[in-house]
Amino acid sequence: MHPPTLLLVSHEPVARSLVEQALHDTPTIILSAETTDQALQLLREQPSIGLILCDERDGSIACHPILSVTHQLQVPIPVIVMGTCTSVKTAIEAMREGAADYLPQPVTREDLRASLLRVWQRANDVVPGPTLPAAEFDEIVSRSPQMGLIKRLAAEVARTHATVLITGESGTGKELLARAIHRASPRVCGPLVTLNCAGIPEHLMESELFGYQRGAFTDAKQSKPGRFQLAQGGTLFLDEIGELSMTAQAKLLRVLEDHTIEPLGDVRGIKVDLRVIAATNEDLPAQIKAGKFRLDLYYRLNVYQLRIPPLRERREDIEPILVAFLEKARVERGCRIRGITPSALTILQEHDWPGNVRELQNVMEWLTITCKESEIKPEHLPQEVRGTKAATSSAAQSIPSLLSFGMSVAEVEKAMLEEALKKTGGNISEASRLLKITRNTLRYRMAKHNLP
């Protein structure tokens, strides 16, 4: 396979040096153009170009013609824009014109590297370079190429100080990945502090994040450091970031911008030095459209995004996870189970696992208690796992029966939604697959019919 080719469009002499430093350990070929016209000429002559970095900083480069041309190609070429300011409006305009990413000034080597690798992954599902996951990622058991790529990218970003956003359905292992990134980072000697944003009442969130001084309020008998102070020199992991209130989001954004916190009752700002890793199972762009999440905070958090695929998209990981769990159970509790029959494994691999790895581990925990033999057989598996196909088939067959004479299209649609949600126990992912629509479409139609 030929090395990836990057086209740098910049009039700044230091720009090439910055790119070379960011990609020093990759076999990337870097082509340079000092004007917009030169860049367009190279695009016509060099079909191997796979990514463009367009530097608008000194005003002599115009990215608009480049963006226009690249999106008319049979295979569009992603363009990263290095802009002149930190304005969210400017970034949004660039993204609307088709930019794959926008880097405001000042651009650091770490930010540039993170952006280049993220866009390359998004465009090609590959990253340039031979990076292998560090040993710290061995705890994440996998066999699938998808998770192999995720671990490689996580190993890359772990070496930087960039903010990381981990997305994925509930139970996929977002916290496990965050811990591995911390252990593989230069901040490993510092603390890893975790905060579940969904588990803290809104009126306590500010004091949990930023702390308070003695006497700040009636019950403040003594000062208490917040999670930002506790994570000084290390990593702060904000789980379920999509659950933060708009007020807390505004205060978090300010800290991410200037790295200064103000504990309740303290008029002095306190500088903090830490890395932030955030995680969510929510669709944040959809939350932004609904007015529930700040766009500017999303851009601050989404410096480097890692999406963990659900277990149903990487069924080859089921067996190694199962084996690893049984081995751990044997060592810790003397578990009698030594293996699983092929037929039982097939059933597990055909189950959709709406609860993902967490659900699989719960099933295995249940089996170590209930299975009295040395090998797991189909009859040992819980009914909800064995009966997945039958239940899905039954639900699919029942939906056409809703098309009763005299019902309007809206009534039929609502009835179908209700039936699918009932059959899947309210699981959005399962219901959307049953109805063969996306999760966002299902949520939209549920809101239209005022369904909970």
Side-chain angles (χ1 to χ4, degrees):
M1 186 175 70
H2 297 292
T5 302
L6 178 146
L7 173 59
L8 170 63
V9 189
S10 177
H11 189 67
E12 294 283 344
V14 297
R16 185 180 181 98
S17 176
L18 181 65
V19 174
E20 289 175 344
Q21 291 175 27
L23 299 174
H24 70 281
D25 60 347
T26 75
T28 309
I29 296 172
I30 302 174
L31 302 178
S32 296
E34 293 188 0
T35 66
T36 303
D37 290 340
Q38 286 181 11
L40 295 174
Q41 181 68 26
L42 281 171
L43 278 173
R44 289 190 290 267
E45 297 174 351
Q46 300 287 342
S48 62
I49 294 173
L51 179 62
I52 300 172
L53 180 60
C54 194
D55 185 0
E56 285 189 326
R57 288 179 295 177
D58 68 352
S60 63
I61 304 295
C63 292
H64 312 290
I66 297 174
L67 287 167
S68 177
V69 168
T70 56
H71 282 78
Q72 292 174 8
L73 299 174
Q74 186 174 4
V75 180
I77 301 174
V79 179
I80 298 174
V81 177
M82 288 199 294
T84 56
C85 64
T86 58
S87 167
V88 173
K89 181 180 179 181
T90 305
I92 293 173
E93 289 174 353
M95 303 295 270
R96 281 177 177 168
E97 290 180 8
D101 202 359
Y102 183 89
L103 298 174
Q105 295 301 312
V107 177
T108 66
R109 181 178 62 185
E110 289 78 13
D111 290 343
L112 178 58
R113 179 181 178 86
S115 176
L116 290 169
L117 295 180
R118 181 175 67 248
V119 172
W120 243 310
Q121 177 211 5
R122 193 185 303 156
N124 307 298
D125 278 340
V126 296
V127 293
T131 304
L132 296 175
E136 288 79 10
F137 293 88
D138 289 347
E139 189 178 347
I140 303 173
V141 179
S142 65
R143 182 186 293 162
S144 64
Q146 299 99 309
M147 286 305 296
L149 176 60
I150 289 296
K151 289 195 281 188
R152 286 177 58 201
L153 293 169
E156 282 282 351
V157 76
R159 300 202 301 257
T160 74
H161 298 282
T163 302
V164 180
L165 176 64
I166 304 175
T167 61
E169 294 180 7
S170 180
T172 49
K174 296 186 289 294
E175 183 172 354
L176 196 63
L177 184 61
R179 292 184 181 277
I181 291 173
H182 172 72
R183 291 196 301 267
S185 76
R187 298 180 179 273
V188 63
C189 294
L192 172 64
V193 177
T194 299
L195 177 66
N196 183 347
C197 299
I200 306 295
E202 182 178 349
H203 67 282
L204 296 178
M205 183 58 72
E206 185 174 355
S207 63
E208 281 293 329
L209 283 173
F210 312 122
Y212 54 80
Q213 294 294 316
R214 180 181 178 183
F217 47 87
T218 304
D219 294 329
K221 308 296 183 184
Q222 58 185 7
S223 299
K224 175 188 174 183
R227 304 296 174 101
F228 272 94
Q229 287 172 279
L230 293 174
Q232 178 72 15
T235 302
L236 176 61
F237 176 53
L238 299 175
D239 198 9
E240 303 298 349
I241 191 73
E243 299 293 335
L244 275 182
S245 68
M246 295 297 284
T247 301
Q249 289 177 37
K251 293 177 179 177
L252 174 60
L253 174 65
R254 184 176 177 184
V255 176
L256 293 177
E257 287 177 338
D258 59 20
H259 301 282
T260 302
I261 63 168
E262 294 182 2
L264 294 173
D266 194 342
V267 295
R268 302 166 301 167
I270 300 175
K271 282 286 184 181
V272 289
D273 174 26
L274 51 83
R275 171 193 227 149
V276 171
I277 300 178
T280 182
N281 60 9
E282 297 286 347
D283 183 346
L284 291 186
Q287 294 279 77
I288 292 169
K289 290 181 180 178
K292 297 179 180 179
F293 202 84
R294 294 178 63 108
L295 177 63
D296 45 7
L297 177 58
Y298 176 70
Y299 277 114
R300 280 291 176 184
L301 293 172
N302 196 34
V303 174
Y304 197 100
Q305 184 177 147
L306 295 168
R307 173 189 174 268
I308 304 181
L311 198 54
R312 63 182 173 274
E313 292 181 9
R314 47 186 177 101
R315 298 180 189 271
E316 58 265 61
D317 285 343
I318 292 173
E319 184 177 8
I321 293 173
L322 180 153
V323 170
F325 184 87
L326 288 178
E327 180 62 29
K328 182 179 179 181
R330 281 198 296 271
V331 172
E332 294 181 353
R333 304 194 300 272
C335 173
R336 69 179 69 83
I337 303 174
R338 294 291 181 268
I340 183 170
T341 64
S343 55
L345 179 60
T346 298
I347 292 174
L348 291 178
Q349 290 174 331
E350 290 178 347
H351 183 54
D352 275 345
W353 301 106
N356 292 294
V357 178
R358 184 181 296 123
E359 181 187 358
L360 174 58
Q361 291 180 334
N362 288 342
V363 168
M364 295 310 301
E365 182 74 34
W366 181 80
L367 286 168
T368 61
I369 298 171
T370 60
C371 180
K372 306 303 180 185
E373 300 183 32
S374 62
E375 198 172 39
I376 300 172
K377 299 176 181 177
E379 58 266 28
H380 297 142
L381 300 175
Q383 181 60 43
E384 59 267 23
V385 173
R386 283 184 287 150
T388 298
K389 279 194 167 181
T392 303
S393 175
S394 174
Q397 291 173 4
S398 66
I399 288 177
S401 67
L402 296 169
L403 301 173
S404 304
F405 177 75
M407 296 177 68
S408 67
V409 172
E411 289 172 333
V412 170
E413 181 179 76
K414 182 178 180 181
M416 290 177 69
L417 296 176
E418 290 174 334
E419 183 73 8
L421 291 166
K422 179 181 177 182
K423 291 295 183 183
T424 58
N427 187 294
I428 298 294
S429 298
E430 289 292 307
S432 64
R433 280 194 295 277
L434 187 61
L435 294 168
K436 294 182 173 58
I437 58 177
T438 66
R439 292 170 60 186
N440 287 342
T441 300
L442 176 57
R443 287 195 177 100
Y444 166 76
R445 292 181 178 177
M446 289 171 63
K448 185 175 74 171
H449 294 291
N450 296 317
L451 295 177

